[in-house]
Amino acid sequence: MPLAAVRTRLRAIAGVVALTIACGAGGLSAEAAGPSRSALTMNSVTVSAWPGNQGSLTPGQDLVIQVSVRNDSSEPIESPTASAYLERSPITSVDQLTEWLNPETLASADEFGSLVAQAQLETIAPGATVALDLAVPSASVGLGTSARNWGAREVGVRLSTQSGDVGQARTALVWNATPAFTPVKVAVAVPLTVPVVPDGLIPADELVRYTSSNGLLSRQLDAVAGRPVAIGIDPMILASIRILGSETPPSALAWLDRLENAPNETFALAYADADLTLLTQAGFPSVPVPESFDFAVDPNRFSGSVSETPSTQPSNVSTDDPNPTVTPSPAPTADPDDPILPTLESLIDWPHTFAGFGWPADNSVVASDLPRLTASGITTMILDQGNVDRDSTGTANTAASLGDQTALVVDSTISDLLRAASDATTTSEFNDAVPQLSAALATIARERSASPTIVLATFDRGWPGFGSHRAETIDLLSAFPWTAAAPLSEAASTPGAPTQLVDRAHSGDRVGRAHELFTAIGAENQFATVVDDPTTITAPRRVELLGRMSVAWGDDLASWNTESATFLADSTSLLSSVQLVESSTINLLADRGSLPITVQNALGQPVTVYVTVRPLKALLAVQDQRVEVTIDPDSQRKALVPVQSVSNGEVRIEVILTSGTGARIGEPTYVDINVQAGWETVGTVIATGLVVLIFGLGLVRNIVKRRRDRGEVTAESGEAASSPVETAPDA
């Protein structure tokens, strides 16, 4: 069995024994069993240790191990002893170093190598922190000076009392003896991002804060500008600054100018640093990009000088002249300073060094993502080491081949150590992390001493926080004797060996929620065809979608779920803004008529829709299957659908609303129709009969009256003829 394997097995056995003894004594909690980088916590006592000189030791130098002990328990640590140990055999692989720095159990004394220094401490009170140096004279270091002895070594510290160990720490140093290495080249990719922005555009007041002298974006740029790192730029930052036009904060303009003048290599992240594979696994056939920013462009922010409006009053007129001659003002001419509004391209354009780059979230890619990413124009991907299976021993070059795509494989160990140093919040944490980073890089140089190696390291894209030691950590990569900075272009241009992808999908719950957003955005795209310019609806929603799909949400899934629910609620509200109004039963009493169908528009712009009526019984024939109706903003309008009765009775109709492209708008509505077409004919006959009857009765009455009047006249004439004539008497 190889020596390394024997050592690994013995360490595991010894660790289990030590853990069992400690637990039996009642001295080890579950939390204490887990390491924190190089520090192990036992009974709320934290021990940290790191070699001086940033973990580098040369022949003739004394070894100084700096130790920090913090007692967070409620009991004092009575007269503890600090003991330093050095493993004199070199570390032969990064896996061995990782195992040493991050053990699963507490270690026994036998696992710590040779005792090289020891010191007795005074009692450490509860809540106190004690710092000390354990010095090892150069003559006692005991490491050879030949080339084969060069490399990293394990260093450990144990804090013990009469009752046993109360704390342990693990670190490493690099024995920089006779050089026997080719420096490992390190390429670094750094994201330039901000915390999540759900609406997809950074508000002006946030830009002021981010680009102030000590703001987040300013500190990020300070750390990387001019240093040998490639910057992944979030296009949302560019668009958010440029879209403000004349109202752009001066600090944001100055920041953008600094970024433009930085000599760094750059590439574009997805808009809002959207999670590429969460989008593709949710169902998007390719990674969505912004459609337009016209919805957020204020022309007043881009207006120059404005020509005066011609006067409506005559000029050169004498007020004494009753009939003045009017000399009109000259016609206005085109103003060269008329506003030129920004376009999508002008808002996010940047002279990037690389095109076609894609940076998925760590360990999130599956095979089905690859064709969708290719369809998005991505030809080179930055992949985490856990996402590939490389058929090689030791540390391989970063470049790899995944079918038609190039992959730049991130060295996870180096990245984790790089981030630990960068994100350190105290000097002690930084000093603790640097020797581990140095040892890991030296181990790679020892592994690949016969052939140059380029490894890729990346900084974290999550929040909260931007490490205060980022610039210092980047500078160290060039300061270590066994490392050399490499541009990302060199890493990308190195031929890559064929590599197998290891599927690492997002969690099912997260993909399921993202699929709901995918479904909602698809429905909105169909709905948007009710307006003349669908992008007035789809463009802002697309930007909001991307803002809610940022990689940084992965650090706060509870908030992401809340924002996703808000997005879905807004989608439901949008889709219901144009809908059919429910109607009561309609009576159709004619052979032909029009059914009034009311459509409501709650949007802030006119919409044009088409009403389709489908009878569920053959009692009614629809004369026009697509009745167009345009509804003004925030109003209602009736569509009159022509129909013809076939038979009397009751029939239910299905009313469907569609856009000009035939997309369904809302849900169908059902209306009951009472068809009584015969009533029109009966009514006409009755009305006609009544008219004839009334006219006839009037005529008969007139005839009877006239005849009666004539009879009375005749009777009077007859009486007059039969009366005697009186004569005068004779005189």
Side-chain angles (χ1 to χ4, degrees):
M1 181 181 293
L3 178 60
V6 172
R7 179 187 296 171
T8 298
R9 179 163 296 182
L10 288 175
R11 281 178 175 168
I13 295 171
V16 171
V17 172
L19 180 62
T20 303
I21 294 173
C23 291
L28 180 61
S29 65
E31 292 182 354
S36 176
R37 297 192 180 120
S38 69
L40 290 171
T41 302
M42 185 189 301
N43 296 338
S44 301
V45 177
T46 301
V47 181
S48 300
W50 56 90
N53 195 31
Q54 297 178 333
S56 176
L57 184 67
T58 58
Q61 281 185 318
D62 293 342
L63 169 61
V64 178
I65 303 173
Q66 296 173 294
V67 181
S68 173
V69 180
R70 186 177 73 247
N71 181 10
D72 291 328
S73 72
S74 59
E75 301 292 332
I77 305 175
E78 302 286 350
S79 303
T81 299
S83 305
Y85 298 82
L86 173 64
E87 174 59 60
R88 290 192 167 93
S89 299
I91 297 172
T92 58
S93 69
V94 174
D95 288 343
Q96 180 187 340
L97 175 64
T98 302
E99 179 193 356
W100 166 249
L101 295 176
N102 298 286
E104 294 183 357
T105 61
L106 292 169
S108 67
D110 294 340
E111 195 172 354
F112 273 73
S114 302
L115 178 65
V116 292
Q118 202 166 52
Q120 186 78 35
L121 283 70
E122 295 182 357
T123 297
I124 304 174
T129 298
V130 174
L132 71 150
D133 291 344
L134 295 175
V136 182
S138 60
S140 300
V141 171
L143 301 177
T145 57
S146 65
R148 64 185 179 84
N149 288 314
W150 179 90
R153 300 295 196 281
E154 300 171 358
V155 176
V157 172
R158 299 171 59 229
L159 187 72
S160 58
T161 64
Q162 291 183 350
S163 59
D165 284 358
V166 294
Q168 298 179 358
R170 299 186 181 202
T171 183
L173 63 81
V174 178
W175 176 240
N176 190 11
T178 304
F181 57 85
T182 300
V184 58
K185 293 184 177 182
V186 183
V188 180
V190 180
L192 191 58
T193 60
V194 297
V196 290
V197 182
D199 293 337
L201 281 171
I202 307 170
D205 58 340
E206 290 292 300
L207 283 174
V208 171
R209 187 160 61 90
Y210 289 154
T211 58
S212 64
S213 59
N214 197 38
L216 176 63
L217 285 174
S218 293
R219 288 187 288 119
Q220 288 188 74
L221 191 54
D222 291 342
V224 299
R227 289 184 166 85
V229 298
I231 305 174
I233 302 174
D234 182 354
M236 179 181 67
I237 301 173
L238 307 178
S240 298
I241 294 174
R242 290 167 171 167
I243 206 166
L244 296 176
S246 61
E247 298 178 11
T248 304
S251 61
L253 289 174
W255 181 89
L256 194 61
D257 186 62
R258 285 183 58 209
L259 178 61
E260 188 171 4
N261 290 317
N264 301 67
E265 296 178 330
T266 65
F267 60 94
L269 300 174
Y271 188 88
D273 195 21
D275 196 322
L276 302 178
T277 51
L278 182 59
L279 287 162
T280 54
Q281 290 170 30
F284 288 91
S286 61
V287 178
V289 297
E291 291 181 291
S292 169
F293 289 100
D294 291 350
F295 66 92
V297 172
D298 183 353
N300 294 325
R301 293 172 173 168
F302 300 91
S303 59
S305 59
V306 182
S307 299
E308 291 188 2
T309 304
S311 173
T312 57
Q313 299 297 324
S315 61
N316 302 326
V317 175
S318 172
T319 56
D320 297 332
D321 188 349
N323 298 300
T325 301
V326 177
T327 304
S329 299
T333 57
D335 189 345
D337 293 325
D338 281 346
I340 299 176
L341 302 182
T343 62
L344 169 64
E345 292 74 17
S346 67
L347 288 171
I348 63 176
D349 182 58
W350 195 260
H352 288 297
T353 311
F354 306 102
F357 259 51
W359 190 353
D362 292 348
N363 292 319
S364 68
V365 184
V366 297
S368 59
D369 294 325
L370 298 182
R372 298 186 178 194
L373 295 175
T374 300
S376 305
I378 295 173
T379 56
T380 302
M381 282 192 301
I382 297 177
L383 288 182
D384 195 76
Q385 186 174 334
N387 228 153
V388 298
D389 181 12
R390 313 184 84 178
D391 187 15
S392 63
T393 57
T395 301
N397 275 306
T398 179
S401 174
L402 280 175
D404 296 333
Q405 290 201 350
T406 297
L408 298 179
V409 181
V410 176
D411 190 299
S412 299
T413 300
I414 300 303
S415 292
D416 289 345
L417 295 172
L418 191 71
R419 296 172 187 183
S422 173
D423 297 340
T425 57
T426 65
T427 301
S428 294
E429 288 182 1
F430 179 72
N431 292 335
D432 184 22
V434 169
Q436 301 178 43
L437 175 62
S438 172
L441 290 167
T443 301
I444 295 174
R446 180 185 175 91
E447 276 185 320
R448 305 280 293 187
S449 58
S451 59
T453 303
I454 301 178
V455 299
L456 173 62
T458 60
F459 283 95
D460 195 8
R461 296 148 73 186
W463 298 101
F466 160 74
S468 58
H469 293 277
R470 180 169 292 187
E472 194 175 355
T473 303
I474 294 172
D475 290 340
L476 284 174
L477 296 178
S478 301
F480 294 140
W482 35 90
T483 60
L488 189 61
S489 54
E490 182 179 355
S493 62
T494 303
T499 301
Q500 296 295 319
L501 185 73
V502 176
D503 283 354
R504 302 281 189 186
H506 286 281
S507 70
D509 290 344
R510 194 162 187 221
V511 171
R513 175 51 65 94
H515 181 73
E516 293 178 21
L517 271 62
F518 162 71
T519 302
I521 211 73
E524 291 176 18
N525 290 342
Q526 295 291 324
F527 170 83
T529 55
V530 300
V531 299
D532 290 340
D533 182 4
T535 61
T536 58
I537 294 175
T538 60
R541 293 293 288 168
R542 176 75 62 85
V543 172
E544 291 176 19
L545 169 75
L546 293 171
R548 285 170 168 85
M549 298 296 282
S550 172
V551 171
W553 286 110
D555 293 332
D556 189 0
L557 292 180
S559 295
W560 181 71
N561 283 326
T562 299
E563 285 295 336
S564 298
T566 300
F567 185 90
L568 294 172
D570 291 344
S571 182
T572 300
S573 178
L574 172 65
L575 297 176
S576 62
S577 60
V578 177
Q579 61 181 342
L580 293 160
V581 177
E582 291 188 7
S583 173
S584 58
T585 300
I586 299 175
N587 293 314
L588 182 63
L589 304 178
D591 286 336
R592 297 177 183 272
S594 296
L595 301 180
I597 306 297
T598 303
V599 184
Q600 176 180 288
N601 173 24
L603 283 176
Q605 56 181 314
V607 301
T608 298
V609 293
Y610 294 82
V611 176
T612 298
V613 170
R614 185 174 68 89
L616 301 185
K617 291 181 182 179
L619 302 181
L620 199 65
V622 179
Q623 303 299 303
D624 190 344
Q625 293 292 335
R626 253 174 127 242
V627 176
E628 178 181 332
V629 57
T630 298
I631 309 104
D632 292 332
D634 302 312
S635 64
Q636 294 182 352
R637 188 171 178 183
K638 284 185 172 61
L640 300 178
V641 180
V643 295
Q644 181 178 0
S645 63
V646 175
S647 178
N648 291 340
E650 292 184 355
V651 58
R652 171 163 288 193
I653 61 171
E654 180 185 50
V655 184
I656 300 171
L657 203 59
T658 60
S659 69
T661 62
R664 286 279 188 97
I665 306 301
E667 296 297 324
T669 295
Y670 296 89
V671 180
D672 292 325
I673 307 296
N674 182 22
V675 182
Q676 296 296 333
W679 283 104
E680 180 189 42
T681 303
V682 172
T684 301
V685 171
I686 293 173
T688 303
L690 288 174
V691 170
V692 171
L693 179 60
I694 293 171
F695 180 79
L697 290 175
L699 181 61
V700 170
R701 181 182 175 187
N702 287 337
I703 293 173
V704 171
K705 183 179 179 182
R706 287 182 181 180
R707 287 181 177 177
R708 186 173 62 246
D709 290 344
R710 269 202 306 269
E712 291 177 355
V713 171
T714 303
E716 290 178 357
S717 299
E719 290 178 359
S722 60
S723 299
V725 180
E726 294 183 358
T727 60
D730 292 336

